């Protein structure tokens, strides 16, 4: 398990456990769709949400399949997917109170080849954790080329956000008390609608390897190395 079991109710949190609350998740605001812990060198594969107390108004959980988003992105503008899978971006989480300074550098989209197919390994998408683009991280070339790549990359992020915001791609779940959602954090983005009153969720992060191990033991397809794993693109 990554870290501790956490909760979104500040009144019940044990601040001595070293859990950071420097996060918009601890507000009543809507949360944009994102993946978690983009600032970890290896983000957790699974995120577990258990609804303890739903909000009186709003606070619905929202999910979007990143695989579908990337498919639409490539159809709209292949160059955008190319840039997001090639250009390294920097992600940071800093909390002075808890002594956190977490940083990672990786492309937003990590792809790999398997069996002649291009597969999605990890999607890191969180506009709140990603640092602004720096010219020194762009390809070593003349100023005009760097400026072109700089603008193309910002356009790629804008197009990605536009596709992610499409209502047609969203699964909205008004989780009730006692209901749980397990999210594939390397692929699925999650968010939340704004709410009124209190809303208490507890959760944790897990590695995906344990899940894949159990699925294989049960003779269930689990990863790209299984025959029935979904391909990203031929």
């Amino acid at each position: 398990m990554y870290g501790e079991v956490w909760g979104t109710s500040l009144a019940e949190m044990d601040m001595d456990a070293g859990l950071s609350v420097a996060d918009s998740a601890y507000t009543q605001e809507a949360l944009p769709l994102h993946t978690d812990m983009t600032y970890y060198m290896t983000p957790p594969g699974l995120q577990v949400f258990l609804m303890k107390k739903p909000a009186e108004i709003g606070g619905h959980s929202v999910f979007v399949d990143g695989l579908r988003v990337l498919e639409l992105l490539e159809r709209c503008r292949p160059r955008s997917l190319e840039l997001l899978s090639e250009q390294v971006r920097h992600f940071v989480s800093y909390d002075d109170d808890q002594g956190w300074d977490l940083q990672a550098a990786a492309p937003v989209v990590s792809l790999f080849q398997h069996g002649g197919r291009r597969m999605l390994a990890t999607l890191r998408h969180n506009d709140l954790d990603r640092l602004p683009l720096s010219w020194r991280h762009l390809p070593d070339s003349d100023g005009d080329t760097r400026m072109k790549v700089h603008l193309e990359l910002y356009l790629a992020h804008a197009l990605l956000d536009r596709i992610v915001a499409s209502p047609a791609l969203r699964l909205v779940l008004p989780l009730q008390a006692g209901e749980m959602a397990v999210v594939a954090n390397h692929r699925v983005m999650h968010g939340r609608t704004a709410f009124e009153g209190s809303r208490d969720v507890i959760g944790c992060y897990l590695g995906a390897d344990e899940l894949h191990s159990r699925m294989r033991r049960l003779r269930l397809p689990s990863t790209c190395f299984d025959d029935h794993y979904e391909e990203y693109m031929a």
Side-chain angles (χ1 to χ4, degrees):
M1 187 169 73
Y2 284 60
E4 305 286 341
V5 173
W6 47 261
T8 59
S9 174
L10 295 179
E12 299 181 6
M13 285 192 67
D14 180 6
M15 301 307 293
D16 294 330
L19 302 178
S20 175
V21 297
D23 193 296
S24 52
Y26 299 95
T27 70
Q28 294 177 316
E29 301 171 1
L31 295 182
L33 287 154
H34 63 283
T35 61
D36 268 17
M37 292 191 174
T38 58
Y39 40 79
Y40 270 49
M41 289 187 288
T42 305
L46 300 173
Q47 183 169 7
V48 179
F49 295 98
L50 174 63
M51 179 60 70
K52 184 177 180 181
K53 179 181 180 295
E56 290 84 356
I57 300 175
H60 296 164
S61 299
V62 185
F63 306 97
V64 166
D65 185 3
L67 203 62
R68 178 60 175 162
V69 169
L70 296 179
E71 181 184 60
L72 294 174
L73 178 66
E74 188 181 44
R75 289 183 185 179
C76 292
R77 193 167 186 270
R79 175 61 173 162
S80 290
L81 179 61
E82 179 183 345
L83 284 169
L84 292 176
S85 63
E86 292 180 352
Q87 295 297 321
V88 171
R89 303 303 307 272
H90 291 74
F91 304 86
V92 172
S93 176
Y94 184 84
D95 186 344
D96 195 42
D97 291 337
Q98 297 296 335
W100 284 19
D101 187 355
L102 298 168
Q103 300 187 26
V108 171
V109 181
S110 295
L111 304 173
F112 67 98
Q113 295 288 333
H114 176 69
R117 300 175 296 180
R118 191 161 47 158
M119 316 292 291
L120 173 63
T122 307
L123 172 64
R124 297 176 189 250
H125 180 61
N126 193 330
D127 291 336
L128 302 180
D129 296 336
R130 190 178 60 248
L131 292 180
L133 186 62
S134 172
W135 272 42
R136 64 188 177 90
H137 298 138
L138 293 175
D140 188 13
S141 57
D142 62 83
D144 289 342
T145 301
R146 284 194 174 192
M147 176 60 76
K148 180 181 178 182
V149 173
H150 191 278
L151 293 176
E152 284 185 322
L153 193 51
Y154 270 110
L155 287 173
H157 280 290
L159 180 55
L160 178 65
D161 282 336
R162 183 177 178 183
I163 296 173
V164 168
S166 172
L169 299 180
R170 297 188 172 200
L171 172 65
V172 181
L173 295 178
L175 293 176
Q176 301 303 309
E179 293 184 335
M180 177 184 292
V182 180
V183 181
N185 188 53
H186 291 173
R187 166 175 171 170
V188 177
M189 290 168 278
H190 68 276
R192 181 194 68 209
T193 63
F195 65 90
E196 297 179 14
S198 62
R199 178 181 185 270
D200 297 343
V201 176
I202 58 177
C204 63
Y205 299 99
L206 303 170
D209 296 292
E210 292 85 350
L211 174 65
H212 294 319
S213 174
R214 178 61 61 86
M215 292 177 71
R216 292 189 191 102
R217 296 290 295 179
L218 295 173
R219 300 295 189 269
L220 299 173
S222 62
T223 70
C224 61
F225 302 107
D226 299 307
D227 291 338
H228 303 293
Y229 188 79
E230 301 141 90
E231 62 178 311
Y232 172 49
M233 59 185 76

